[in-house]
Amino acid sequence: MAPNIYLVRQRISRLGQVRPEEKPPGPRPGPPLASPAAPLLFRPRVSASSSTAAAPPRPAPRPPGPASEPGQRASPACPSSPPGCSGLVGPLLLRPVVLTLSPSFPQRMSGFQINLNPLKEPLGFIKVLEWIASIFAFATCGGFKGQTEIQVNCPPTITENKTVTATFGYPFRLNEASFQPPPGVNICDVNWKDYVLIGDYSSSAQFYVTFAVFVFLYCIAALLLYVGYTSLYLDSRKLPMIDFVVTLVATFLWLVSTSAWAKALTDIKIATGHNIVDELLPCKKKAVLCYFGSVTSMGSLNVSVIFGFLNMILWGGNAWFVYKETSLHSPSNTSAPHSQGGIPPPTGI
């Protein structure tokens, strides 16, 4: 055992001697550590379903050990017993971003959407009144039916009065309304069917009724635009201008058509009144005595004329409220772009 001890002492003494050109060796490095995780070049995608899940707890950092390479930062060591940890964990340079699956894009409100607020404004409320007035205008004129009667006798053949009737109505072609005696009765040997009323007033009546029907349809279309496509009407420049032009034209045509129909109604009253006795050829004979009997009341026709002028007033008054929606009244509504902070002035709807 003595030689062995001697050899060990010599080795220890040799190890204690340090050469001047050599440096004392540093601590012996341990086994090479895994390099830290490379930095992520892109953000990982996180679905909407997994975004709400809680992230696992990150392990507490430990003091850094010796670096595996010069100039490289050592990664923290993994705890001894955390669940789901294998090896060293590198620092995350970028945090994951939650992406929403339903991006929000501006939707254009041009679809049909019921909005009753325009009916509370003068523009929509007056349009409803125009729609109702147009119904009364063409219904009271187009649905009229009447007749005029005369009493006839010819002594000594017929001593009692016999009634001869002429029926007329819309479109008031009086020259096609013939007189009809009682069935099976020959009055004074006259063929009364060959005699008709005087006058043809169909042009004025049909013009008035046809225009009232077109106004009725236009009011329906305008109300549908006001109520169902409010945003489309307000954002457009052409629609309010078209509505304004149609309103002015309708006001003028209501004046023309109603005036023509009022004149025609006056002539109809004269042609079917008591003056008819003086115009019939059989009544001019000495042997035939004619007396004016009666004529159907034309109160509904008078109402049609009243509603015609009422429509003219409504459309003339509504022209101002339609004009306020056009660019002529508020040109800054379309000249100032929204991108520059321009705020459009309030409109009537």
Side-chain angles (χ1 to χ4, degrees):
M1 294 297 294
N4 295 334
I5 295 174
Y6 178 76
L7 294 175
V8 170
R9 288 181 179 178
Q10 286 183 351
R11 292 179 180 179
I12 292 174
S13 62
R14 290 178 180 177
L15 292 175
Q17 296 177 359
V18 181
R19 297 180 180 179
E21 64 276 3
E22 294 180 357
K23 295 182 180 179
R28 185 177 181 180
L33 301 177
S35 60
L40 297 178
L41 300 180
F42 60 92
R43 298 183 179 181
R45 294 179 176 270
V46 180
S47 61
S49 59
S50 63
S51 62
T52 56
R58 299 178 62 182
R62 298 182 62 181
S68 59
E69 298 179 2
Q72 183 177 1
R73 185 178 179 181
S75 302
C78 181
S80 60
S81 62
C85 180
S86 61
L88 300 179
V89 180
L92 293 178
L93 301 181
L94 299 176
R95 295 184 178 180
V97 178
V98 179
L99 301 178
T100 58
L101 298 180
S102 59
S104 59
F105 295 99
Q107 298 180 356
R108 186 178 180 182
M109 301 298 295
S110 60
F112 180 80
Q113 186 177 5
I114 296 178
N115 183 14
L116 299 179
N117 291 329
L119 299 180
K120 302 177 183 178
E121 300 293 335
L123 181 65
F125 180 72
I126 297 178
K127 191 66 68 179
V128 175
L129 297 181
E130 294 171 351
W131 177 65
I132 297 174
S134 64
I135 297 176
F136 280 95
F138 69 79
T140 53
C141 179
F144 179 81
K145 290 292 183 181
Q147 63 181 9
T148 180
E149 299 176 353
I150 60 174
Q151 304 294 328
V152 181
N153 62 43
C154 48
T157 306
I158 299 176
T159 57
E160 60 181 5
N161 295 333
K162 298 296 181 178
T163 302
V164 180
T165 305
T167 303
F168 61 94
Y170 179 82
F172 302 100
R173 293 187 177 94
L174 301 184
N175 54 358
E176 297 179 1
S178 61
F179 287 91
Q180 301 292 332
V185 178
N186 185 6
I187 302 175
C188 302
D189 296 331
V190 176
N191 188 7
W192 292 96
K193 296 181 180 180
D194 295 338
Y195 299 94
V196 296
L197 296 175
I198 300 174
D200 183 5
Y201 308 98
S202 60
S203 59
S204 300
Q206 288 179 339
F207 174 49
Y208 177 81
V209 172
T210 303
F211 175 67
V213 172
F214 276 113
V215 168
F216 167 77
L217 298 177
Y218 178 78
C219 289
I220 294 179
L223 289 175
L224 182 64
L225 180 62
Y226 294 164
V227 175
Y229 299 92
T230 306
S231 59
L232 180 63
Y233 181 82
L234 295 179
D235 296 339
S236 176
R237 298 183 60 183
K238 295 182 180 180
L239 292 179
M241 186 62 64
I242 293 174
D243 193 14
F244 177 63
V245 173
V246 172
T247 302
L248 294 180
V249 174
T251 304
F252 175 73
L253 292 181
W254 272 120
L255 175 62
V256 174
S257 62
T258 306
S259 301
W261 168 235
K263 178 60 173 61
L265 178 59
T266 303
D267 297 337
I268 291 172
K269 291 180 179 179
I270 296 174
T272 58
H274 59 87
N275 294 328
I276 192 176
V277 177
D278 301 331
E279 300 294 336
L280 284 175
L281 293 178
C283 295
K284 295 180 180 181
K285 298 179 180 180
K286 295 181 179 180
V288 179
L289 301 177
C290 299
Y291 307 94
F292 177 74
S294 64
V295 66
T296 304
S297 175
M298 300 183 185
S300 61
L301 299 181
N302 297 330
V303 173
S304 66
V305 175
I306 294 174
F307 272 101
F309 287 110
L310 178 62
N311 274 285
M312 182 195 68
I313 296 174
L314 289 175
W315 283 84
N318 195 29
W320 165 250
F321 298 101
V322 180
Y323 170 75
K324 291 174 63 178
E325 303 297 331
T326 62
S327 58
L328 299 177
H329 180 262
S330 54
S332 60
N333 188 15
T334 55
S335 62
H338 296 283
S339 60
Q340 298 179 1
I343 301 176
T347 57
I349 297 182

